[in-house]
Amino acid sequence: MNVLICIDDTDNLESRGTGELATIMAKEIERRSWGRCDFVTRHQLLIHPDVPYTSHNSSMCFAADLDLANLDAVIAYASDFLRDESAVGSDPGLCVSVIDQLADPEAIIAYGRLAKREVLNKKMAYDLAAQLDMHLSEHGGTGQGVVGALAGIGLRLSGNDGRMKGWLRIETKNGLASVGDIMAQAPLGGVRTMAGELLAATEMVEVDNKPKAVLLDGQIYLMVSPIDNGGAVHWRTTPRSQLKKF
Amino acid sequence: MWLKDSEGKKAFRHGHVAFNQASQAAQVCGSFRPDVEEEWVADEERSCYNCRLRRWTAESFDCLLPA
């Protein structure tokens, strides 16, 4: 069964990031043979004076393919892990949702989008999680992280929000690779222009040394921007500074 | 480059997309600390936008270094 796992508000200015904790959790789930885990995505939430956050406000989400019999064990492990590994002063929250059994996906997607625009609170989060039969729990501090953990599930489920944690490892020749070669090296939906067009497999791309990918239409895409220098290569991977909107 | 309030809090005056200024500010800062990779938004690593000690605000960011 397909499950989304999201955590939020686990760090402080000195600690490991929430993304690293999500990565550790995903690896441990695989090590214990509970299931297979997918990439981690980062989801930006509202920046507002009434929202408590350390330095940014983002949650980290990953998908897992689990046997139903392992679900309780995964939730127990993730809960203990957050309790033990979250930073002093943080307010960690955990959300786990069985996507195959979700009665009203649009409701959680709408909540996720709302969390990018409005100040939400724990009661709203717990009420919606209960209504949709999703696991939502807090593991220290004020537990405020449940708001973002629930939102991250909705945003990941929307398929149109967030950047992949880390970067793609793409081998190139003199910094260039064809779209076909890029696709052969990374599990991408495609190589896509910022205007939304997919590039053909034969198109050549100038590849940055740490190219980031984003979640669009339910898949991970490497984004490219036009090069206007009169040369034979017309595309380069979109710089990080232009991916902020994802 | 900075707006300072009466308590010494520093707010970056150039907003969210002033990449050159954010890079320049980090070049002359002795306390720059890169944030985790997933929180970087600038292309150059050494940018206040990529610093662990920046706290994003709706308009820009505050520098969390003690005044």
Side-chain angles (χ1 to χ4, degrees), chain A residues 18-58:
Chain A
T18 302
E20 185 173 344
L21 294 194
T23 301
I24 293 170
M25 287 171 57
K27 287 180 178 172
E28 186 63 15
I29 287 168
E30 293 194 340
R31 193 190 70 78
R32 297 190 189 197
S33 301
W34 285 335
R36 296 288 301 168
C37 295
D38 209 343
F39 51 86
V40 175
T41 45
R42 173 201 183 275
H43 301 276
Q44 180 68 54
L45 305 172
L46 181 67
I47 297 291
H48 187 281
D50 294 339
V51 177
Y53 57 92
T54 307
S55 63
H56 41 73
N57 187 25
S58 59

Side-chain angles (χ1 to χ4, degrees), chain A residues 17-237:
Chain A
T18 302
E20 185 173 344
L21 294 194
T23 301
I24 293 170
M25 287 171 57
K27 287 180 178 172
E28 186 63 15
I29 287 168
E30 293 194 340
R31 193 190 70 78
R32 297 190 189 197
S33 301
W34 285 335
R36 296 288 301 168
C37 295
D38 209 343
F39 51 86
V40 175
T41 45
R42 173 201 183 275
H43 301 276
Q44 180 68 54
L45 305 172
L46 181 67
I47 297 291
H48 187 281
D50 294 339
V51 177
Y53 57 92
T54 307
S55 63
H56 41 73
N57 187 25
S58 59
S59 58
M60 293 285 173
C61 188
F62 62 95
D65 184 6
L66 303 177
D67 191 311
L68 181 60
N70 295 325
L71 181 63
D72 288 345
V74 167
I75 291 172
Y77 156 72
S79 300
D80 290 347
F81 180 76
L82 287 187
R83 181 196 64 211
D84 296 341
E85 300 297 329
S86 294
V88 173
S90 66
D91 307 307
L94 167 70
C95 188
V96 181
S97 178
V98 181
I99 299 307
D100 304 334
Q101 299 174 1
L102 202 50
D104 188 0
E106 289 307 317
I108 187 62
I109 290 171
Y111 172 90
R113 289 176 174 152
L114 194 62
K116 295 173 83 77
R117 302 193 310 270
E118 293 185 16
V119 179
L120 307 179
N121 59 47
K122 283 172 55 176
K123 182 178 186 312
M124 296 167 71
Y126 277 122
D127 286 350
L128 183 60
Q131 180 188 326
L132 298 178
D133 197 22
M134 300 166 72
H135 171 89
L136 186 65
S137 56
E138 55 189 77
H139 301 283
T142 67
Q144 184 71 23
V146 295
V147 174
L150 185 66
I153 295 281
L155 293 168
R156 175 77 179 246
L157 186 61
S158 79
N160 279 300
D161 188 275
R163 305 191 290 264
M164 194 171 84
K165 178 181 178 292
W167 55 86
L168 301 173
R169 270 75 175 179
I170 306 288
E171 284 192 24
T172 65
K173 290 177 183 168
N174 300 319
L176 301 177
S178 71
V179 169
D181 286 342
I182 292 170
M183 297 285 289
Q185 296 179 62
L188 296 169
V191 176
R192 181 165 163 159
T193 73
M194 294 293 275
E197 296 168 354
L198 286 177
L199 293 191
T202 53
E203 198 80 53
M204 295 299 293
V205 177
E206 189 178 295
V207 180
D208 183 56
N209 62 351
K210 290 182 179 176
K212 295 287 288 183
V214 304
L215 185 61
L216 283 172
D217 298 333
Q219 298 192 80
I220 283 289
Y221 286 94
L222 179 62
M223 306 305 289
V224 294
S225 300
I227 303 173
D228 188 16
N229 61 5
V233 177
H234 303 298
W235 301 99
R236 61 174 296 204
T237 50

Side-chain angles (χ1 to χ4, degrees), chain A residues 11-20 42 47 51-56 58 60 163 165-167 210 212 239-241 244, chain B residues 15-17 19 33 35-45 49-61 64:
Chain A
D11 59 359
N12 64 26
L13 289 178
E14 311 298 330
S15 72
R16 293 180 292 188
T18 302
E20 185 173 344
R42 173 201 183 275
I47 297 291
V51 177
Y53 57 92
T54 307
S55 63
H56 41 73
S58 59
M60 293 285 173
R163 305 191 290 264
K165 178 181 178 292
W167 55 86
K210 290 182 179 176
K212 295 287 288 183
R240 185 186 294 263
S241 54
K244 196 180 171 194
Chain B
H16 291 149
V17 291
F19 291 97
R33 282 173 44 197
D35 201 348
V36 293
E37 175 275 336
E38 57 267 26
E39 298 299 339
W40 291 8
V41 296
D43 298 325
E44 315 85 356
E45 176 179 337
Y49 287 158
N50 293 345
C51 181
R52 192 80 187 249
L53 298 174
R54 56 90 182 88
R55 183 176 193 274
W56 293 109
T57 61
E59 299 79 22
S60 183
F61 70 85
L64 299 180

